């Protein structure tokens, strides 16, 4: 198989990151024509169309493979400079991670404080639903992710972190006003709080209560922050599936009540990262795994 010319690979990455051939040319100090020729040459060498020529451009499925390789290559180059006692630039090493909102609001940031000060790191966090963080990893946009998928993305390793427990909860006043009669029937009509349109936890809970039928009410409040979600439930806008770690104090003080204590929902979480011998990634993985073992259910 032909080798992938590094100048062409780096040019493709610049085009994807900058969004246009002209912008990539400015960053690379080349002409737009030279950038276009490099990308075309790489497509001819791989026998694949690597870019969708839209505005902004976006990688095809084959292009994502090459982009991920380019980002891993850059990561290895920076690590090599660091081990040689010299830095390729004066900036700290950037570590990009995809993480779900509930982890970000509870245990994940304290985990990052466990990472050693050397080598200096700069974290770039991408907030995404745990069922979709692996997509960012697959596209090469991040080098590690907290995900609900145990299936490793190509070129990545995976290890379990633990289970995040969610409990169905509402304010006492909301229960009195909205949840009379059988709970399963009441929840199909009562206002519900969701994180966003992709949040299915409330529907899954209702279906389990109703033995597979129905779902939560169509009367929905979308609150796209973890803290805001909990506050909305506490204020009585609707009921919702609240992370156990956030619900604990509110349940103890009576500001929230559990709707079905015998039916918690456990979501397994995993740490996926590029398969690279990178001291920076290894340090982050060790800190996150240790923190997850303490904060999450085994």
């Amino acid at each position: 198989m032909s080798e992938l010319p590094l100048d062409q690979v780096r040019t493709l990455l610049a085009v994807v990151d900058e969004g246009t051939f002209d912008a990539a040319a400015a960053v690379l100090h080349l002409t737009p024509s030279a950038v276009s020729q490099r990308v075309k040459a790489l497509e001819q060498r791989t026998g694949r169309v690597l870019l969708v020529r839209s505005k902004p451009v976006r990688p095809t499925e084959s292009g994502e493979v090459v982009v991920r390789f380019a980002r891993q290559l850059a990561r290895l180059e920076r690590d090599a400079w660091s081990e040689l006692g010299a830095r390729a630039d004066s900036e700290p090493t950037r570590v990009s991670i995809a993480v779900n909102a509930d982890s970000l609001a509870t245990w994940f940031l304290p985990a990052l404080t466990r990472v050693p000060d050397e080598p200096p790191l700069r974290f770039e966090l991408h907030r995404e639903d745990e069922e979709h963080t692996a997509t960012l990893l697959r596209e090469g946009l991040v080098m590690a992710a907290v995900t609900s998928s145990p299936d490793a993305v190509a070129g990545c390793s995976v290890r379990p972190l633990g289970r995040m427990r969610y409990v169905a909860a509402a304010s006492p006043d909301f229960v009195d006003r909205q949840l009379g009669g059988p709970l399963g029937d009441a929840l199909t009509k009562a206002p519900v709080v969701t994180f966003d349109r992709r949040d299915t936890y409330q529907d899954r809970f209702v279906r389990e209560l109703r033995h597979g039928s129905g779902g939560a009410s169509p009367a929905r409040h979308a609150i796209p922050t973890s803290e805001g979600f909990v506050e909305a439930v506490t204020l009585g806008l609707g009921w919702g599936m609240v992370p156990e770690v956030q619900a604990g104090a509110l349940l103890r003080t009576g500001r929230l009540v559990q709707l079905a204590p015998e039916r918690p929902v456990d979501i397994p979480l995993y740490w996926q990262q590029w398969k690279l011998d990178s001291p920076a990634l290894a340090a982050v993985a060790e800190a996150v795994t240790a923190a997850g073992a303490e904060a999450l259910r085994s």
Side-chain angles (χ1 to χ4, degrees):
M1 178 180 290
S2 301
E3 294 182 354
L4 295 178
L6 299 186
D7 61 337
Q8 295 175 9
V9 169
R10 288 171 174 144
T11 300
L12 179 73
L13 178 61
V15 173
V16 170
D17 283 347
E18 300 302 323
T20 67
F21 285 79
D22 288 346
V27 168
L28 297 172
H29 305 291
L30 298 170
T31 65
S33 176
V35 170
S36 179
Q37 289 173 9
R38 285 187 181 183
V39 172
K40 288 180 181 178
L42 186 58
E43 289 180 323
Q44 291 173 351
R45 184 174 289 268
T46 60
R48 301 283 194 279
V49 175
L50 301 177
L51 289 178
V52 176
R53 268 69 170 179
S54 55
K55 288 190 177 181
V57 300
R58 55 187 177 84
T60 63
E61 186 174 346
S62 297
E64 289 173 359
V65 174
V66 181
V67 167
R68 187 168 63 244
F69 166 71
R71 295 195 194 283
Q72 293 174 343
L73 183 67
R75 168 78 271 152
L76 288 172
E77 184 177 36
R78 286 192 293 269
D79 285 347
W81 277 110
S82 179
E83 290 184 27
L84 288 170
R87 306 197 71 81
D89 52 51
S90 59
E91 293 294 321
T93 298
R94 181 176 65 89
V95 179
S96 54
I97 306 169
V99 58
N100 61 305
D102 291 335
S103 291
L104 189 58
T106 54
W107 65 274
F108 192 79
L109 289 180
L112 297 184
T113 66
R114 299 184 177 202
V115 179
D117 293 334
E118 291 294 333
L121 303 181
R122 176 168 62 88
F123 298 112
E124 181 181 281
L125 302 184
H126 298 250
R127 191 191 67 188
E128 183 56 272
D129 183 86
E130 61 269 20
E131 295 181 355
H132 299 90
T133 49
T135 300
L136 301 184
L137 196 60
R138 188 175 297 109
E139 293 174 351
L141 296 176
V142 298
M143 57 185 65
V146 175
T147 173
S148 61
S149 175
D151 301 320
V153 171
C156 294
S157 61
V158 58
R159 66 177 77 177
L161 292 171
R163 294 176 292 116
M164 178 165 276
R165 173 161 290 186
Y166 291 80
V167 297
S171 70
D173 177 66
F174 182 88
V175 173
D176 292 339
R177 289 185 290 109
Q178 300 283 352
L179 300 183
L183 182 61
D185 294 336
L187 292 182
T188 64
K189 303 173 184 177
V192 62
V193 179
T194 65
F195 189 82
D196 56 26
R197 293 180 182 272
R198 295 190 296 189
D199 179 5
T200 62
Y201 289 174
Q202 287 70 217
D203 291 305
R204 288 162 58 179
F205 176 76
V206 174
R207 281 195 294 270
E208 288 183 9
L209 277 182
R210 295 171 57 84
H211 307 290
S213 67
S217 167
R220 302 180 178 218
H221 303 287
I223 312 294
T225 70
S226 184
E227 297 87 350
F229 180 99
V230 176
E231 183 68 9
V233 173
T234 305
L235 291 174
L237 284 179
W239 72 277
M241 302 300 296
V242 179
E244 180 183 50
V245 65
Q246 289 175 298
L250 296 168
L251 292 170
R252 287 191 295 271
T253 59
R255 296 186 66 196
L256 286 180
V257 294
Q258 276 191 253
L259 304 183
E262 75 285 358
R263 288 180 176 270
V265 174
D266 289 347
I267 304 299
L269 296 178
Y270 301 87
W271 175 256
Q272 293 206 38
Q273 68 174 61
W274 290 346
K275 285 182 179 177
L276 293 181
D277 185 15
S278 166
L281 269 180
V284 175
E286 183 177 348
V288 169
T289 302
E294 295 176 6
L296 303 173
R297 287 178 173 265
S298 60

